[in-house]
Amino acid sequence: MKQLWRLLPVKLVVLSCFFITSANSQRPVSVRLVGGSKPNLGVVEVTMSTGAVGRICNLGFDNNGASVVCAMLGYRGVTGLKVDLPPYTVGNTNTVMAISGCPDFLEASTSTWNLETACRYVVSSFPPDCAGNGRDAAVICTGTQTTSTPGPTLPPDFATIAPIDCNNTITSLRLDPGPEEGLVLIQNGSLGGDNFGTICAAGFSAIEAATICRMLCRNETANAIGMSGKYLTTAASYPVMLSGLKCPAGATSTNDCKHNGWGAAPSYCTPNTAVSVRCSQISLTPPPIPAPFVVCHLYVANVFFTYTDVASASLLSLYGTYNETTCNFTKNENSTTVWATVPYIGCNSVQTTNATHVIYTSMLYRNVTAVSGVYVDVPYIIPVECAIPKLKEVTAALLPDARTAPPITGGDSYTSEVKLYRSYNARGFSSEIAPGDRLVVGSRIYARVRETSPLNVRLTVRNCWASDKSDGTGASYYVVRNKCATDANSVFRVDEKNIGINFAVMSFTQTVSTQAYIFCDVTICTPTDPDERCLQTCGTAVRRRRKRQLSTENEKESSQQPSRGPYILTAMTAMDVEASRAASIADATLLWLMTTALVAAVAWNTFSSVFIH
Ligand SMILES: *[C@@H]1O[C@H](CO)[C@@H](O)[C@H](O)[C@H]1NC(C)=O
Ligand SMILES: *[C@@H]1O[C@H](CO)[C@@H](O)[C@H](O)[C@H]1NC(C)=O
Ligand SMILES: *[C@@H]1O[C@H](CO)[C@@H](O)[C@H](O)[C@H]1NC(C)=O
Ligand SMILES: *[C@@H]1O[C@H](CO)[C@@H](O)[C@H](O)[C@H]1NC(C)=O
Ligand SMILES: *[C@@H]1O[C@H](CO)[C@@H](O)[C@H](O)[C@H]1NC(C)=O
Ligand SMILES: *[C@@H]1O[C@H](CO)[C@@H](O)[C@H](O)[C@H]1NC(C)=O
Ligand SMILES: *[C@@H]1O[C@H](CO)[C@@H](O)[C@H](O)[C@H]1NC(C)=O
Ligand SMILES: *[C@@H]1O[C@H](CO)[C@@H](O)[C@H](O)[C@H]1NC(C)=O
């Protein structure tokens, strides 16, 4: 033993090596007090790992040594004091170990609460002084006794199990199945080895649960709870190992706790009352809120759910009643995904708008199914939004061109086009100018800017300009700027989706055979959007107000827009078209507003249901 060379002269070092094997099998494993007048006072009797029982020869056994003995007996706080007692010559009187001191004892460290680790000792070759019982170590224990009454007949190692080392595999305690939760299985602190058993749940509180979790090196012990009635099948194959476990708050080991002794269990403690522990917090989060992936394309919302969110296509429906003749709602599924397609049109989708987007909101309903007769999920109403940006740029010209604006994230696009015509009348535009057609500079032609989607939206042209480059970056000439036609040109609304522009063909160089292109910035809005960008009127609100005082304000108005020519107030200006339309669509507008209000109310209720869930 390493202790040997400290205790004995250096010349015995070689001898110490000789002892290693046998010394290892001779360790002190348990103690008790004998021959005293009280349970906490007596001569120390020690049991060796070989089974030998006897006395400790005092070759420097001090209060540290006494404290080790008392700690092994279950005393805590201020513990052992070395005492001198008259020799006690009853029982196992032979010397089985000699202790020269216990310098490694630390009251705060349970791993030093045993003679083997705290003390320097030999188990043979005792000095002559150890003969007889005159030097037998004796102690009195003070402090708090934390295990059941120790006495002369205490079972060995009553209080201790192997100290926990969180850096190594913990072998004396485990949760089955673990790691967060399981049946507590603890090794018989006396027998060691494969002798595991359960802990009785009677009296087992959060403090004991936290102790177990600390011993398992879990640091989230604030959530530790002990439960009974779980993992009973596992429990049935183990004996009850501990009962009456009572720990002080903050205990880091069962060695700090009272209990009834290894294997000792009252009759009410059976495997059926075995305790299980959960060390980490139980998740209180509700089932996930369905979070679909939405792709809006060509006026249809494609909504994809994972199976976690929607377990089957049969659970998915369009919320509320709808007309199956007008609404082509479809749904489908494969092994990983459930999806639905909801057209914006005909399926009760609500059309709204904000400053930048036109938004279509559809409501999907996720139903629930009973599991074992109960519902563990809540039904959800899932609003699905497709947003279409109002602003975009379209290009066309002598080469008529239809473009699709790139969709925003989760958004759709709409299509608009610019085409050129030689004439326009109440029946519409005619004599389309084909790509490559030659145009006489200075002649007047028409551009038609058109929203081609089936959506119920209003198109507004913000800017249109001619350029000599196909990407619009070359020389430019505006025919419409900030919704106002320039020079002798004019801009007019044909209907909600068609804007006409009349302008003179221009050339950017003297060589008139070069190509020219027309570019337009357009805006789409809902028909009732009051946003001034949605009105195809130059100067918007100001002009609208002045319209009522047209005769007196006309001159002033013109002077405020010097870039505008006299054509601006022809019968086909936007303002006039809108004014003439106003009376005829008044009833329809009222109806539309009422309908919108009704739909909005339904939508509001729907949303509040979502929030309630
Ligand atoms: C465990 O390891 C940490 C660092 O890895 C060390 O600080 C600590 O002292 C070790 N504990 C024991 C009991 O060895
Ligand atoms: C446990 O404690 C360590 C060190 O303090 C910390 O890094 C770790 O996050 C803690 N774990 C939990 C689950 O709280
Ligand atoms: C635990 O060890 C003690 C002491 O050796 C023994 O009396 C008891 O029967 C053991 N109990 C179990 C359940 O292993
Ligand atoms: C459904 O729509 C069709 C076509 O608009 C219409 O003829 C029919 O009356 C509607 N059915 C109901 C129940 O509203
Ligand atoms: C309905 O939509 C599906 C795709 O979602 C399409 O295949 C089908 O042709 C549509 N039916 C009608 C009548 O539009
Ligand atoms: C299921 O459908 C989704 C959406 O169409 C697709 O992304 C996925 O690859 C499909 N999975 C299988 C296994 O077919
Ligand atoms: C308008 O709505 C769309 C879609 O919800 C959103 O992305 C956009 O930021 C909104 N614009 C404003 C100005 O609130
Ligand atoms: C939900 O599912 C149940 C059972 O299949 C069905 O009776 C009920 O009508 C469904 N609810 C809705 C709103 O679809």
Side-chain angles (χ1 to χ4, degrees), residues 5 8 17 32 92 198 227 230 264 266-267 311 314 335 345 358 388 462 481 513 521 538 541 602 606 612:
W5 63 267
L8 297 174
C17 296
R32 62 212 67 89
N92 301 303
T198 60
M227 306 160 279
K230 296 188 82 174
S267 59
S314 65
S335 60
I345 297 162
V358 175
I388 304 175
R462 200 152 46 95
R481 186 167 219 156
S513 62
D521 286 331
C538 178
V602 171
T606 314
I612 287 164

Side-chain angles (χ1 to χ4, degrees), residues 237-322:
S237 58
Y238 288 92
V240 179
M241 189 60 74
L242 280 182
S243 63
L245 189 68
K246 266 294 150 204
C247 301
T252 55
S253 165
T254 51
N255 297 344
D256 298 337
C257 311
K258 288 183 185 175
H259 55 79
N260 294 331
W262 297 106
S267 59
Y268 54 81
C269 286
T270 68
N272 278 343
T273 61
V275 81
S276 297
V277 156
R278 182 169 182 98
C279 292
S280 61
Q281 196 162 23
I282 294 172
S283 170
L284 298 176
T285 52
I289 297 171
F293 176 67
V294 181
V295 177
C296 303
H297 186 59
L298 292 177
Y299 327 119
V300 172
N302 301 281
V303 190
F304 299 87
F305 295 88
T306 63
Y307 263 105
T308 323
D309 282 347
V310 179
S312 154
S314 65
L315 294 177
L316 206 58
S317 60
L318 202 57
Y319 184 66
T321 54
Y322 62 97

Side-chain angles (χ1 to χ4, degrees), residues 164-168:
I164 298 297
D165 174 4
C166 289
N167 291 356
N168 290 304

Side-chain angles (χ1 to χ4, degrees), residues 180 217-221 280:
E180 303 290 330
C217 305
R218 306 298 302 257
N219 53 4
E220 64 271 53
T221 52
S280 61

